[in-house]
Amino acid sequence: MIDIKSMEYDDVIEYMTSIGEKPFRGKQLFQWMHVHKVASIDDMTNLSKDMRHKLQENCIYTSLTQVDCQISKEDGTRKYLFALSDGNVVESVLMRYKHGNSVCVSSQVGCRMGCRFCASTLDGLERNLTPAEILDQIYSIERDTGEKVSNVVVMGTGEPMDNFDNIVTFIKLLSDERGANLSQRNITVSTCGIVPKMKELASYHFQITLALSLHAPNQAKRLELMPVANKYDINEAVDACRYYFKETGRRITFEYSLVAGVNDSDTDAAELAELIKGINCHVNLIPVNPIKERNYVQSSNEAVHAFKNKLEKYGINVTIRREMGRDIDGACGQLRRKHISKEQKGD
Ligand code: SAH
């Protein structure tokens, strides 16, 4: 079976000609998938019944099934749970901002990176998502709301650099002018710091934003929070960001989740400023979202603001990430975990 919705434009045309169709049929098929974003091959009404039948027999047409949608009463954030064709489930989030709709997608079912504060990794990695499974999280949300999505962040469950080839295809498809046509400048990919893949991504010269989940000002503290630091030292990860900027001209985002008494002191801020000095960057501060499996405590409001002020004194661009959807299992991976444990209990 051919995973038709994960194929790039030229490959779709080539496939259609290989089964005896004219190239413009390939163009129509690509448009049904990535412009009209239809949920099934049956909806492709300008293709003949025979041709639709042939496609159904030979292709997988990925279309996710919505299992749950929690809507925040505070800010309208929607947290979706989608089922994949093999029964696995993934989470995606729609955040509504003044400047448009932003969707946070998952890149894997589960995760094997083991970050200490994150709920997505507690059961390890189940499998990678295909490009179509990542794309259809966005398309499904557009179908559900009838609204366009203008920003996409790959910050849901999973480590995108651990699913590299599919992420590259996903970026190409999402930004293809003949298809979904989302500007690469409105796409952000976040990594825990898999250095060789960050460099490989730079070589594609996409205009996307690379975000590094830093969360610590030095190697010793980072090791306590993020096992990936055993493999790639904090300095290597930061150097890979310098390299990414050199290759692409794109400003780097550093994500920094503040944990009370762990990484939120004045000294931590000063050390962080020193670490990223001279990089064209932006720091996103996120008060850690406590998960019940770990006893990390969110930094106080005062500590968060003091940390921000300190960084600004060093001339660093900082924003405090607004916490969206606090009332609906905001932290990564919590909705999926709740769903799985409910199923295991059989209710
Ligand atoms: N694997 C990628 C992307 C997924 S996580 C990465 O590590 O960047 C998206 C962001 O949320 C990361 O910065 C991650 O470290 C952070 N995160 C995960 N769990 C969190 C929590 N409980 N509170 C605050 N931030 C969290």
Side-chain angles (χ1 to χ4, degrees):
M1 293 287 262
I2 303 241
D3 179 5
I4 192 78
K5 211 161 152 179
S6 291
M7 276 159 71
E8 286 175 53
Y9 186 87
D10 291 346
D11 299 331
V12 172
I13 306 284
E14 197 181 302
Y15 172 68
M16 285 300 256
T17 46
S18 79
I19 60 168
E21 300 293 343
K22 295 231 161 60
F24 86 94
R25 291 292 179 199
K27 183 175 171 188
Q28 287 178 323
L29 174 58
F30 194 81
Q31 287 175 341
W32 281 119
M33 293 191 287
H34 301 291
V35 179
H36 308 300
K37 303 167 182 171
V38 292
S40 77
I41 289 176
D42 273 330
D43 295 334
M44 302 181 178
T45 45
N46 66 358
L47 303 185
S48 72
K49 269 215 163 116
D50 273 0
M51 196 191 303
R52 281 184 258 160
H53 188 69
K54 196 152 68 174
L55 289 173
Q56 274 155 347
E57 298 233 292
N58 296 298
C59 303
I60 299 166
Y61 189 78
T62 301
S63 183
L64 308 184
T65 313
Q66 191 177 315
V67 225
D68 194 3
C69 176
Q70 298 188 357
I71 305 176
S72 164
K73 290 190 188 70
E74 290 173 13
D75 54 34
T77 295
R78 288 167 173 246
K79 190 135 197 182
Y80 289 88
L81 194 68
F82 292 114
L84 311 172
S85 60
D86 63 359
N88 275 306
V89 291
V90 291
E91 293 183 34
S92 327
V93 186
L94 167 69
M95 290 155 289
R96 292 194 161 103
Y97 296 101
K98 277 194 215 91
H99 61 261
N101 286 337
S102 184
V103 165
C104 172
V105 295
S106 293
S107 55
Q108 296 179 311
V109 181
C111 183
R112 56 175 176 160
M113 295 299 130
C115 297
R116 300 286 299 157
F117 43 80
C118 180
S120 295
T121 196
L122 291 165
D123 293 323
L125 176 68
E126 180 69 34
R127 71 168 173 87
N128 281 330
L129 294 180
T130 65
E133 285 169 335
I134 309 172
L135 278 173
D136 207 58
Q137 296 171 52
I138 304 159
Y139 297 175
S140 294
I141 290 176
E142 290 189 330
R143 288 195 293 268
D144 184 55
T145 58
E147 294 171 21
K148 273 238 142 271
V149 167
S150 54
N151 269 278
V152 170
V153 295
V154 186
M155 288 191 186
T157 295
E159 169 49 45
M161 295 299 106
D162 191 35
N163 184 16
F164 188 81
D165 293 346
N166 288 348
I167 286 296
V168 166
T169 306
F170 162 76
I171 295 166
K172 287 182 181 169
L173 283 171
L174 186 59
S175 59
D176 194 318
E177 288 167 6
R178 298 156 296 190
N181 194 22
L182 195 95
S183 164
Q184 288 185 356
R185 293 174 170 271
N186 296 349
I187 303 173
T188 298
V189 172
S190 176
T191 178
C192 64
I194 301 185
V195 169
K197 294 295 174 189
M198 292 162 74
K199 291 186 180 157
E200 196 178 337
L201 185 66
S203 74
Y204 284 85
H205 296 104
F206 293 136
Q207 284 297 295
I208 64 167
T209 300
L210 178 67
L212 173 66
S213 299
L214 200 50
H215 305 322
N218 60 45
Q219 171 69 0
K221 287 204 175 190
R222 195 160 191 263
L223 260 177
E224 279 176 29
L225 296 170
M226 304 177 72
V228 70
N230 280 305
K231 203 150 178 198
Y232 307 108
D233 181 272
I234 192 169
N235 291 307
E236 281 179 70
V238 171
D239 277 346
C241 291
R242 286 195 181 90
Y243 178 76
Y244 188 87
F245 177 77
K246 189 166 105 343
E247 287 296 304
T248 64
R250 297 289 296 160
R251 186 168 82 158
I252 299 296
T253 296
F254 292 112
E255 287 161 277
Y256 197 101
S257 296
L258 287 157
V259 189
V262 173
N263 62 3
D264 67 343
S265 73
D266 247 27
T267 325
D268 293 325
E271 213 176 334
L272 173 63
E274 187 59 34
L275 178 71
I276 60 179
K277 199 166 75 182
I279 302 179
N280 190 335
C281 71
H282 183 95
V283 174
N284 240 329
L285 296 176
I286 319 149
V288 80
N289 217 326
I291 58 173
K292 68 173 194 306
E293 292 80 0
R294 304 266 187 265
N295 50 7
Y296 290 118
V297 177
Q298 213 173 59
S299 300
S300 67
N301 233 331
E302 297 77 64
V304 173
H305 281 93
F307 201 90
K308 175 173 187 266
N309 292 340
K310 185 93 183 177
L311 287 180
E312 282 175 340
K313 281 214 180 91
Y314 286 93
I316 291 170
N317 277 308
V318 196
T319 43
I320 299 172
R321 171 110 50 94
R322 242 174 83 207
E323 289 176 86
M324 308 282 280
R326 279 299 308 267
D327 52 331
I328 50 167
D329 295 320
C332 306
Q334 283 187 28
L335 185 60
R336 173 169 169 261
R337 279 184 66 74
K338 212 155 116 182
H339 177 82
I340 294 171
S341 68
K342 245 201 262 173
E343 291 223 310
Q344 282 166 353
K345 284 186 205 124
D347 56 33

